[in-house]
Amino acid sequence: MYGVILNTTNDSSSTLGVGPGSSFNAGFMANFNIIAIHSQLYYVTLKDLEWEQEVSGVDRKFKTEGSGHFWTWDGTIGIKALTEEGDMGYTHVYVGFRIWKVLREEDKKTVDGVSNPLYPPVKQELTGNGFIVGIRDFSTLPLGSISLALQTGLWLYKAPLSTFKQDGTEIDTTADQNIGFGFEIGGGLAFEDIGLSTIVGLRMDVQATEIKLPLNIDAVAGSGYAQFFFAVSKEFGF
């Protein structure tokens, strides 16, 4: 998902553009007793995006063809509780820092399937940072040599837009309200004797910032993803 939505003076409304993409996720958690330090990177590609927009009372279908990516990095500290020896289950409550960035290059734009030859290629780059709080729970149910595993998580963050560039030129913006949230839910198998788990699930993360552009134009800049994921985790003891 991605979009910079202008609040124009006519009767119009819009949503973030959505489309297919792929993702990569990597992270680690280190804990000493109940204190846990966590770092996580999530990278998502942006391809062709589509959205519906009401312009002067008429519904239009927009599409942009292009490429890009959206990534987030979290560095947190928290508590890893409800752990037992020989059990991979835990509850992790954390607070920390989030950085995010979007790069979007648009080559072509169509409205109701009709290409606009006057629409120039556009390259937009947005960055932001702030704080994040969240909770993740990993529970297991032993079934002999393997265990069923359930992973859930919920996080909230305030990381407003700090830099907005278009075609390499920084645009003067003032960030107002910002909110971001995400969740995950998944299930799989845990091999607790060797500290290995495999999880399949759904993860969603979306954020938006109200901004003011030059000439006192109000807008909303938003980005995010909603994707199925497959994750492999390994525990190490020292």
Side-chain angles (χ1 to χ4, degrees):
M1 305 176 218
Y2 171 71
V4 178
I5 304 167
L6 301 181
N7 294 333
T8 57
T9 55
N10 60 7
D11 180 17
S12 65
S13 62
S14 180
T15 60
L16 297 181
V18 297
S22 55
S23 64
F24 171 78
N25 175 34
F28 75 88
M29 181 191 299
N31 68 286
F32 179 75
N33 292 329
I34 65 171
I35 304 300
I37 297 174
H38 181 234
S39 175
Q40 180 165 304
L41 173 70
Y42 207 90
Y43 182 96
V44 180
T45 61
L46 299 173
K47 299 181 181 179
D48 296 350
L49 300 177
E50 297 183 4
W51 70 96
E52 292 185 358
Q53 181 173 339
E54 183 181 306
V55 181
S56 300
V58 179
D59 291 333
R60 302 290 190 185
K61 187 173 182 178
F62 288 74
K63 178 180 180 180
T64 57
E65 298 179 9
S67 61
H69 59 258
F70 168 58
W71 62 259
T72 64
W73 175 80
D74 300 332
T76 67
I77 185 170
I79 296 174
K80 185 180 180 183
L82 304 180
T83 60
E84 296 181 7
E85 185 175 353
D87 185 346
M88 293 180 65
Y90 65 87
T91 297
H92 181 214
V93 181
Y94 58 88
V95 61
F97 191 72
R98 162 162 286 202
I99 300 173
W100 62 268
K101 181 176 181 178
V102 179
L103 178 65
R104 175 64 176 168
E105 297 186 62
E106 297 178 351
D107 302 319
K108 181 181 178 180
K109 185 176 185 178
T110 61
V111 182
D112 295 332
V114 179
S115 176
N116 183 356
L118 300 179
Y119 182 77
V122 174
K123 179 180 179 180
Q124 294 179 327
E125 183 177 335
L126 292 76
T127 59
N129 58 80
F131 68 89
I132 182 171
V133 296
I135 182 172
R136 170 179 285 171
D137 182 80
F138 187 86
S139 300
T140 60
L141 177 63
L143 296 175
S145 59
I146 63 174
S147 300
L148 294 179
L150 175 66
Q151 179 174 303
T152 57
L154 177 67
W155 54 94
L156 300 172
Y157 59 97
K158 186 177 180 63
L161 174 75
S162 58
T163 304
F164 178 25
K165 293 182 180 180
Q166 183 155 309
D167 297 326
T169 301
E170 186 170 346
I171 306 299
D172 184 25
T173 60
T174 301
D176 192 4
Q177 300 295 321
N178 167 266
I179 186 66
F181 74 93
F183 73 88
E184 63 181 3
I185 182 169
L189 298 176
F191 304 87
E192 299 189 89
D193 290 342
I194 59 175
L196 180 70
S197 66
T198 59
I199 299 292
V200 176
L202 172 67
R203 179 184 286 115
M204 178 177 179
D205 191 308
V206 63
Q207 64 85 28
T209 302
E210 290 184 1
I211 59 175
K212 192 171 292 292
L213 297 170
L215 303 180
N216 208 34
I217 297 176
D218 293 325
V220 174
S223 54
Y225 59 84
Q227 292 191 328
F228 294 103
F229 70 90
F230 172 73
V232 177
S233 301
K234 180 69 174 73
E235 287 188 349
F236 297 93
F238 299 97

